[in-house]
Short mmCIF file of all heavy atoms in Angstrom, two decimals:
data_model
loop_
_atom_site.label_atom_id
_atom_site.label_comp_id
_atom_site.label_asym_id
_atom_site.label_seq_id
_atom_site.Cartn_x
_atom_site.Cartn_y
_atom_site.Cartn_z
N LYS A 184 141.93 132.45 100.71
CA LYS A 184 141.75 132.72 102.14
C LYS A 184 143.11 132.75 102.80
O LYS A 184 144.03 132.12 102.34
CB LYS A 184 140.85 131.65 102.79
CG LYS A 184 139.46 131.51 102.21
CD LYS A 184 138.70 130.41 102.86
CE LYS A 184 137.34 130.19 102.21
NZ LYS A 184 136.45 131.36 102.33
N LYS A 201 175.01 110.70 119.42
CA LYS A 201 173.73 110.19 119.00
C LYS A 201 173.19 111.10 117.90
O LYS A 201 173.47 112.28 117.86
CB LYS A 201 172.74 110.15 120.16
CG LYS A 201 173.09 109.08 121.20
CD LYS A 201 171.97 109.03 122.22
CE LYS A 201 172.27 107.96 123.25
NZ LYS A 201 171.17 107.85 124.27
N ARG A 287 95.88 117.53 93.31
CA ARG A 287 95.23 116.23 93.47
C ARG A 287 93.82 116.39 94.06
O ARG A 287 92.89 115.69 93.67
CB ARG A 287 96.07 115.33 94.38
CG ARG A 287 97.34 114.83 93.71
CD ARG A 287 97.96 113.70 94.54
NE ARG A 287 98.34 114.17 95.89
CZ ARG A 287 99.53 114.67 96.16
NH1 ARG A 287 100.45 114.85 95.20
NH2 ARG A 287 99.82 115.05 97.40
#
Side-chain angles (χ1 to χ4, degrees):
K184 301 178 185 295
K201 290 186 179 181
R287 288 193 298 271

